[in-house]
Amino acid sequence: MSKPVLVVGAGPVGLTMAAELARYGAPVRVVDRLPARNTRSRALAIWPRTLELLDAAGCAGAFVATGLHAQAVSIHAGRRTLARIPFGTIASTFNYLLMIPQSETERLLEEHLGTSGGTVERGTELTDFVDGPDGVSCTLTHAGGGKERVEAAWLIGCDGAHSFVRRRLGQVFAGDTLPMGFVIADAHVAGLPVPPDEPAIFWHPDGAVMFFPISRDRHRIIADLGPVPLHMPDLGEMQRIVDRRGPGGVTLSDPAWLSDFGVNERMVRHYRTGHVFLAGDAAHVHSPAGGQGMNTGMQDAFNLAWKLALVMRGEAAPSLPDSYGIERSGVARRILSDSGHMTRIVLLENHLAQRARNLVVQQGFRIPAIRRAVAGRLSGIRIGYPDSPLNVGSAGGLHGPAPGQRLVLRQGRAAGGPPRLVLAARDSAEARAIIAHHPSLLAATACPPPDENGIWLVRPDGYVAAVARNGNGSVITAALDRMTSQGS
């Protein structure tokens, strides 16, 4: 395991990838062409499922202590509240939306990487690579112009929407650019009649204006431009938009950032080409509606890292990482569809359609089941891998998740060391025999199962790989064999 994994890009996705690989004991280098960490807030939202995964990695506490805990998101028309979606019904320990600037997310992830001895090599750019039968030969260019040849076991492009790795592979970034632009400001806000930690969306016949809390008195304000071309706004323009579309009485001041942006909806067909992978915005981009982009990319990293670490240790078949693209592309397609629909609903231009939308939202969100369903979908806890090639068995007749679904185990946070799957089963000769048969893949002890009548095999990323009834442990053993060279 002497060759490192080379991670390109030290944003949230690349840092998560590097930190997970390092935690699992895999050699890893993470490079970024920028000389310093970006200080702009950019992405703000961390949803419960991502927090659960950060908790399993042992670092959620620092995030929870740093960010704002949003208890709901609300939708308004002027001073009239159309809907309020509370997050307290989300079936997770983290039943809130964590609002935290991306700059802080990157700082905390870099500190977490450091606990495993990892560092970010800044001012270092990947300028060429050649994939071969035993790895990837990479050329790095350092800030002073010096070149370095790196022989990597794997190359992971976490280098954003304009990914060099993706372009060098010749991957088509298929999709569309939406025919509308947006303006954005990070500024102090006074007079907003909603709780200071609550995201709020205001609909108006001219368009929408959205407020996302960054700190107790600072928000990100986003508004669509309608037919106006993209342009850099000033504070006066943002104030005029807020005055017209907002609830009234809201004052903006002291802007830290003003910008404009367009929206793309694109994704690649293949997440893996030989020893090269794509993750995060390098593989998929979509509307910021729903705040899913950074979360989706970080969850890409949690999915892939344990698989690569097992392969590098010789404990899993080289084909195991093939499941990464199958699993994560399905999630990206769903997020792409959901965020696109949300964007189009928010930006309806026909006034009759706007009135109908407002009425439907106002009436529909009075129903608790609808509020719970929307909160659950946004939270990420319903993400699963029903079509994963790793799935074995069935949960039929058992009270618990099916293969491919999430299962948060009732046990302590994972420490550093090789990735291990966990058996969720009652203590029995059968469970002990399964563990003894695969000691290099399984944690040494089982944890309590969702149902005493069943056995669950849980992956390091918290998803079920196999389910069997007690007495049918061969199903679990078969799933483990499929992950190893025995089953390749």
Side-chain angles (χ1 to χ4, degrees), residues 33-105:
R33 63 181 180 82
L34 296 177
R37 189 169 58 239
N38 198 312
T39 58
R40 288 178 178 169
S41 55
R42 293 184 291 177
L44 292 174
I46 299 183
W47 288 101
R49 182 57 185 146
T50 306
L51 285 171
E52 290 177 348
L53 291 164
L54 289 169
D55 193 45
C59 64
F63 286 84
V64 170
T66 302
L68 297 176
H69 298 197
Q71 305 299 324
V73 61
S74 54
I75 302 172
H76 310 261
R79 287 197 168 267
R80 182 165 54 104
T81 299
L82 301 177
R84 189 171 186 271
I85 304 163
F87 300 136
T89 60
I90 296 170
S92 171
T93 302
F94 305 98
N95 56 349
Y96 51 84
L97 171 61
L98 189 72
M99 303 300 296
I100 180 170
Q102 182 175 324
S103 55
E104 284 294 278
T105 293

Side-chain angles (χ1 to χ4, degrees), residues 9 57 63 67 92 106 121 136 151 157 168 192 200 209 286 309 325 388 394 434 487:
F63 286 84
S92 171
E106 292 180 12
E121 301 176 45
V136 191
E151 298 299 326
R168 182 72 172 77
L192 186 65
V209 62
H286 46 78
S388 172
S394 168
I434 294 171

Side-chain angles (χ1 to χ4, degrees), residues 81-84 360-371:
T81 299
L82 301 177
R84 189 171 186 271
V360 168
V361 166
Q362 187 173 30
Q363 296 300 319
F365 280 93
R366 290 177 177 173
I367 302 170
I370 291 179
R371 295 198 299 269

Side-chain angles (χ1 to χ4, degrees), residues 162-180:
H162 302 289
S163 169
F164 168 78
V165 176
R166 184 188 66 239
R167 288 185 281 111
R168 182 72 172 77
L169 288 172
Q171 285 256 33
V172 175
F173 210 26
D176 298 301
T177 299
L178 299 187
M180 72 270 291

Side-chain angles (χ1 to χ4, degrees), residues 195-209:
D197 58 1
E198 182 172 298
I201 302 166
F202 290 84
W203 287 343
H204 183 273
D206 286 355
V209 62

Side-chain angles (χ1 to χ4, degrees), residues 31-397:
V31 301
D32 196 288
R33 63 181 180 82
L34 296 177
R37 189 169 58 239
N38 198 312
T39 58
R40 288 178 178 169
S41 55
R42 293 184 291 177
L44 292 174
I46 299 183
W47 288 101
R49 182 57 185 146
T50 306
L51 285 171
E52 290 177 348
L53 291 164
L54 289 169
D55 193 45
C59 64
F63 286 84
V64 170
T66 302
L68 297 176
H69 298 197
Q71 305 299 324
V73 61
S74 54
I75 302 172
H76 310 261
R79 287 197 168 267
R80 182 165 54 104
T81 299
L82 301 177
R84 189 171 186 271
I85 304 163
F87 300 136
T89 60
I90 296 170
S92 171
T93 302
F94 305 98
N95 56 349
Y96 51 84
L97 171 61
L98 189 72
M99 303 300 296
I100 180 170
Q102 182 175 324
S103 55
E104 284 294 278
T105 293
E106 292 180 12
R107 178 183 66 82
L108 293 172
L109 286 171
E110 191 168 351
E111 289 178 359
H112 177 55
L113 172 63
T115 64
S116 298
T119 59
V120 177
E121 301 176 45
R122 300 193 182 276
T124 302
E125 183 175 6
L126 176 72
T127 50
D128 196 17
F129 65 87
V130 178
D131 191 16
D134 300 314
V136 191
S137 182
C138 304
T139 301
L140 299 179
T141 301
H142 296 278
K147 304 282 187 180
E148 178 188 0
R149 178 66 59 84
V150 176
E151 298 299 326
W154 309 90
L155 171 65
I156 309 178
C158 306
D159 48 343
H162 302 289
S163 169
F164 168 78
V165 176
R166 184 188 66 239
R167 288 185 281 111
R168 182 72 172 77
L169 288 172
Q171 285 256 33
V172 175
F173 210 26
D176 298 301
T177 299
L178 299 187
M180 72 270 291
F182 296 82
V183 285
I184 185 170
D186 285 357
H188 284 288
V189 172
L192 186 65
V194 298
D197 58 1
E198 182 172 298
I201 302 166
F202 290 84
W203 287 343
H204 183 273
D206 286 355
V209 62
M210 296 159 272
F211 295 84
F212 300 97
I214 301 173
S215 61
R216 287 292 169 183
D217 61 349
R218 184 173 287 275
H219 283 69
R220 169 165 302 164
I221 305 99
I222 300 177
D224 64 289
L225 285 169
V228 179
L230 271 175
H231 62 276
M232 183 73 71
D234 58 22
L235 184 63
E237 180 180 5
M238 296 301 298
Q239 183 67 61
R240 288 190 293 275
I241 291 173
V242 168
D243 289 344
R244 181 159 177 78
R245 302 182 189 180
V250 177
T251 303
L252 309 183
S253 62
D254 190 22
W257 183 36
L258 293 157
S259 189
D260 59 352
F261 67 94
V263 171
N264 286 283
E265 297 179 328
R266 300 180 185 277
M267 66 179 292
V268 296
R269 177 173 294 182
H270 304 291
Y271 280 47
R272 176 183 184 180
T273 303
H275 294 88
V276 184
F277 295 87
L278 298 171
D281 286 356
H284 46 77
V285 294
H286 46 78
S287 164
Q292 300 293 328
M294 182 178 70
N295 290 263
T296 304
M298 291 171 70
Q299 290 175 34
D300 287 348
F302 284 113
N303 182 292
L304 179 59
W306 69 271
K307 299 171 182 177
L308 291 184
L310 283 178
V311 171
M312 294 177 75
R313 294 179 60 85
E315 295 170 351
S319 60
L320 178 63
D322 289 344
S323 60
Y324 163 68
I326 296 169
E327 293 172 352
R328 295 305 299 168
S329 63
V331 173
R333 280 192 293 272
R334 196 208 82 182
I335 298 296
L336 211 71
S337 175
D338 284 358
S339 61
H341 286 143
M342 281 189 279
T343 300
R344 288 164 177 82
I345 288 169
V346 168
L347 301 181
L348 284 173
E349 294 181 353
N350 181 277
H351 288 192
L352 183 60
Q354 290 174 350
R355 288 196 293 270
R357 171 201 63 192
N358 292 5
L359 180 62
V360 168
V361 166
Q362 187 173 30
Q363 296 300 319
F365 280 93
R366 290 177 177 173
I367 302 170
I370 291 179
R371 295 198 299 269
R372 288 195 300 270
V374 171
R377 195 166 180 89
L378 288 171
S379 73
I381 66 169
R382 297 187 179 181
I383 289 171
Y385 306 129
D387 301 318
S388 172
L390 304 183
N391 292 348
V392 178
S394 168

